[in-house]
Amino acid sequence: MTKILMQFPDKYEIYQSYSGQGFGYLKTNIKGFNQASIINPHFMLTDLDRYECPMALRNDWIDFELQDNFIFRIAVREVESWVLADRESLSRYFNVALANFPIKPDLESDPKNTLIQLARRSKKREIREDIVPINTNAKIGPNYNGCLSEYVFKFWSIENAILNSESLERTYLKLKNFTSHKRRQRGL
Amino acid sequence: MRSRTFMVGPNASGKSNLLDVFRFLRDIAKPGGGLQHAVLDRGGISKIRCLAARTHPDVEVEVHLSDFDTEDVSWKYALGIKQEVRGYRLPFLSYERVWKNDKLILNRPDKDDKKDKERLTQTHLEQINANKEFREITRFLESTVYLHLLPQLLKHPLSFTGPDLPGDPFGKGFLDRISKVNEKTRSAWLKKIELALKIAVPQFKKFEFKEENGRPHLEAMYDHWRPKAGKQKEDQFSDGTIRLIGLLWSLQDGDSLLLLEEPELSLNSAIISKIPALIYKLQKPKRRQVLISTHSMDLLSDKGISLDEILVLNPSAEGTEVYASSSIPSIKEMLDGGMSPAQAILPRTKPKDINQLTFF
């Protein structure tokens, strides 16, 4: 999210970030963040996960009126799809042939798993060890988030990624066209 | 600050230093204490002054005291300290002031101080001859209790020799403290703790205070398949058990200002979430103020905590700013939307680049 917002350095300044502990946390607290948007704009990003479509998630989560300054976006299917969407640079980073990467990552049913499978083929030992789970009792590797966020900060390019992910493109446009309502504009 | 105040902030933001302000005043006020002692124990003015301070800094402390759960300030005490620029570099007072109900009753340096500069190396607070008019302040400050019990000190007292620290902040002499309380009170308090431990510690059965060869000990009985077995002394207690005993004891012992440093350490999260209510219950009858520093999500998840009971410490280049969380409008709105204080506030205390911690 930080990386996406960094695309608009003049527009957004991150004032405070609340990093979730998964969708349960976001679902419980969405009302609180929506309410806080009365004071200043808030941007919330969640994974679609097992919901059928973004609308289904919206209906399930939101039973109140959304504030104008609350930007709520859903990554289809997971934010990993967006990471996969910059195929070229990820293929370089993993050192895995480009042909193995999905062309439409939004359509992947389990992008996390796709990503892990790709990392498994990596010729770099460090990447394999960080991202691939140590055994079947773990969902992700021991430094999954650390390794991927390092990649996102250093190499991932949103310009390349929006070409392959419609869901990312929509979020990008939403942020680009967003104007803060009433109150002064002051980061998120 | 409210009668129950929680302090949150990133590491090294100054939570312990904020608590130390009250210990510092205690060290000045207590019998055998005094300004020189209090400053020297802390390694001199250069260790006390603000990290962002310029040359010749003044260290200033001002406390406002009011009756329990009221807003009216009945006493104000203010203190400014400087260091001699030559000679022994002793600390001396740049000012000392006392207000009673907003009326200034002490204003130093006065004309006697001007005649004799030596007088400024001591506060009036520490002198019985001089503090007659405001002894209430002295009494209050000198009885401040600080607790940051380290189980290891209690389990292996012989491995940590050397002079004891003033006020025993880390609980090395915790058992002696228990043994000094008269027997009836002691067993009443221990009974209460036993009740709590029975709930908190599985298999825990009974709990006794014993003296062996003149040394005080705590002995606990655990469920055991042999009816007479399962006894353990404090050196075998778990860290959490010891810390819980320490917490429950200190909440009952005394009625003065109590400073608790991260009471959540070593405890199970279900127990931690009950601490705020426990503090409230035990402080109420004694009308006692408790200040708590914490990092704990579980502790602050209690929705009974008001936003003005939580102080947020925010370090910046010119020192740390402290504000009540109720002064931040978006936090208030988040609570209206059903979030707990912990969920609304604690993410604000995390370091800015925390995500990059795993990059190195």
Side-chain angles (χ1 to χ4, degrees):
Chain A
M1 272 171 99
T2 311
K3 175 81 177 193
I4 298 173
L5 290 170
M6 271 157 58
Q7 299 302 312
F8 312 97
D10 306 329
K11 189 164 171 184
Y12 301 105
E13 178 204 337
I14 299 172
Y15 173 63
Q16 208 47 255
S17 74
Y18 286 75
S19 32
Q21 297 106 26
F23 81 97
Y25 168 82
L26 293 176
K27 191 178 172 185
T28 331
N29 293 316
I30 185 168
K31 208 169 167 186
F33 288 118
N34 179 52
Q35 194 73 22
S37 304
I38 297 175
I39 309 296
N40 52 4
H42 281 69
F43 172 36
M44 182 189 271
L45 176 67
T46 180
D47 292 343
L48 181 59
D49 275 330
R50 263 166 229 113
Y51 286 93
E52 289 266 303
C53 68
M55 248 2 249
L57 185 145
R58 260 189 125 89
N59 291 338
D60 186 29
W61 283 28
I62 302 169
D63 55 358
F64 46 86
E65 199 179 327
L66 279 186
Q67 300 291 336
D68 292 336
N69 281 339
F70 187 61
I71 312 172
F72 178 57
R73 302 304 306 173
I74 302 163
V76 183
R77 176 142 303 255
E78 285 171 352
V79 75
E80 276 82 355
S81 315
W82 294 2
V83 175
L84 287 166
D86 183 6
R87 300 172 68 226
E88 288 80 11
S89 82
L90 190 62
S91 132
R92 241 174 291 133
Y93 185 69
F94 276 8
N95 206 351
V96 172
L98 189 60
N100 297 307
F101 286 78
I103 295 168
K104 289 247 175 274
D106 284 9
L107 302 179
E108 290 294 310
S109 62
D110 188 355
K112 204 173 253 130
N113 188 40
T114 312
L115 198 93
I116 288 170
Q117 293 315 324
L118 286 165
R120 208 184 281 276
R121 312 171 81 156
S122 172
K123 291 179 187 80
K124 293 187 201 159
R125 185 170 147 187
E126 223 171 89
I127 287 186
R128 284 199 311 269
E129 286 180 349
D130 275 3
I131 296 185
V132 179
I134 50 166
N135 58 28
T136 49
N137 288 329
K139 279 244 173 302
I140 54 175
N143 190 24
Y144 178 88
N145 284 322
C147 179
L148 283 183
S149 39
E150 185 173 359
Y151 158 73
V152 169
F153 270 100
K154 289 187 181 158
F155 307 107
W156 187 74
S157 141
I158 190 165
E159 284 90 355
N160 288 338
I162 47 178
L163 302 176
N164 299 318
S165 164
E166 198 192 329
S167 122
L168 175 62
E169 188 184 15
R170 283 208 214 168
T171 297
Y172 180 81
L173 291 177
K174 171 90 185 181
L175 286 169
K176 199 173 168 187
N177 301 327
F178 172 80
T179 43
S180 174
H181 295 260
K182 283 174 281 180
R183 294 238 177 187
R184 73 210 132 94
Q185 181 125 10
R186 195 189 174 192
L188 296 151
Chain B
M1 284 197 228
R2 309 303 301 254
S3 42
R4 179 181 68 166
T5 301
F6 301 89
M7 285 176 267
V8 299
N11 287 128
S13 60
K15 295 182 294 296
S16 304
N17 285 342
L18 192 56
L19 292 181
D20 196 39
V21 169
F22 300 98
R23 290 169 67 199
F24 180 68
L25 291 173
R26 176 199 64 192
D27 290 350
I28 294 177
K30 72 181 180 194
L35 176 68
Q36 300 298 323
H37 249 293
V39 173
L40 282 180
D41 278 345
R42 284 165 177 76
I45 290 281
S46 55
K47 297 260 173 90
I48 296 176
R49 61 172 212 168
C50 172
L51 196 60
R54 310 292 194 263
T55 40
H56 306 309
D58 249 18
V59 175
E60 295 178 292
V61 177
E62 182 170 327
V63 286
H64 296 191
L65 310 172
S66 33
D67 279 336
F68 189 79
D69 262 347
T70 58
E71 303 273 320
D72 307 326
V73 178
S74 33
W75 293 98
K76 278 198 259 181
Y77 179 79
L79 180 71
I81 314 164
K82 267 186 179 333
Q83 188 176 18
E84 291 175 345
V85 282
R86 54 183 69 80
Y88 292 114
R89 317 246 161 196
L90 291 178
F92 67 93
L93 290 171
S94 52
Y95 64 85
E96 184 183 20
R97 290 178 202 127
V98 179
W99 293 262
K100 184 181 187 179
N101 299 326
D102 265 336
K103 203 179 136 233
L104 191 65
I105 58 168
L106 176 78
N107 190 7
R108 296 179 69 196
D110 53 20
K111 58 179 191 304
D112 291 337
D113 294 328
K114 278 177 191 133
K115 266 188 246 152
D116 180 8
K117 288 270 186 259
E118 286 282 296
R119 283 173 56 97
L120 285 176
T121 58
Q122 295 191 340
T123 60
H124 275 9
L125 186 70
E126 71 201 68
Q127 286 168 339
I128 317 175
N129 284 335
N131 67 15
K132 187 161 162 275
E133 301 296 318
F134 52 95
R135 191 150 306 148
E136 232 179 289
I137 302 185
T138 312
R139 289 277 175 268
F140 173 75
L141 291 173
E142 73 179 11
S143 49
T144 302
V145 179
Y146 170 86
L147 181 81
H148 183 27
L149 197 121
L150 300 182
Q152 285 70 19
L153 282 183
L154 213 70
K155 288 185 185 175
H156 318 287
L158 294 178
S159 315
F160 300 95
T161 46
D164 286 343
L165 290 163
D168 189 25
F170 305 119
K172 196 175 164 195
F174 179 64
L175 292 175
D176 297 317
R177 241 188 279 170
I178 295 185
S179 74
K180 275 183 196 139
V181 175
N182 87 52
E183 212 188 317
K184 227 171 149 186
T185 326
R186 181 174 64 218
S187 48
W189 289 349
L190 289 177
K191 200 93 212 150
K192 270 197 180 167
I193 298 179
E194 184 184 277
L195 228 73
L197 287 178
K198 262 193 196 161
I199 299 168
V201 183
Q203 261 125 44
F204 179 92
K205 234 166 66 186
K206 241 172 71 189
F207 175 60
E208 266 182 292
F209 179 82
K210 275 196 172 162
E211 258 175 86
E212 265 172 31
N213 306 327
R215 294 278 311 145
H217 286 294
L218 291 173
E219 197 176 80
M221 278 272 259
Y222 292 84
D223 276 332
H224 196 274
W225 51 270
R226 273 203 330 258
K228 288 258 168 81
K231 277 186 194 163
Q232 287 192 337
K233 287 226 178 68
E234 76 279 352
D235 55 352
Q236 288 170 295
F237 285 2
S238 82
D239 289 1
T241 310
I242 292 185
R243 290 205 41 116
L244 192 59
I245 295 173
L247 176 70
L248 294 171
W249 179 269
S250 56
L251 280 168
Q252 300 182 82
D253 185 12
D255 50 11
S256 51
L257 177 63
L258 176 64
L259 312 170
L260 294 175
E261 187 99 62
E262 301 186 26
E264 72 266 20
L265 294 181
S266 311
L267 294 179
N268 174 284
S269 63
I271 300 174
I272 299 172
S273 59
K274 303 283 179 222
I275 292 180
L278 208 66
I279 292 174
Y280 172 78
K281 246 182 85 180
L282 290 171
Q283 77 177 153
K284 196 89 212 251
K286 301 195 162 193
R287 306 164 64 78
R288 170 184 209 184
Q289 188 173 29
V290 186
L291 310 182
I292 305 115
S293 80
T294 182
H295 287 288
S296 169
M297 202 75 175
D298 299 302
L299 198 135
L300 295 176
S301 295
D302 186 336
K303 288 190 181 170
I305 300 174
S306 148
L307 283 182
D308 43 48
E309 286 182 306
I310 305 176
L311 298 181
V312 182
L313 279 74
N314 189 17
S316 68
E318 290 289 322
T320 293
E321 291 168 33
V322 184
Y323 47 86
S325 57
S326 53
S327 65
I328 305 164
S330 57
I331 291 187
K332 258 186 143 153
E333 297 293 344
M334 283 180 187
L335 259 70
D336 285 347
M339 285 168 77
S340 77
Q343 284 163 333
I345 297 166
L346 280 183
R348 291 178 169 259
T349 65
K350 67 172 192 266
K352 223 177 100 229
D353 295 325
I354 186 67
N355 288 332
Q356 292 166 27
L357 189 64
T358 48
F359 290 9
F360 76 100

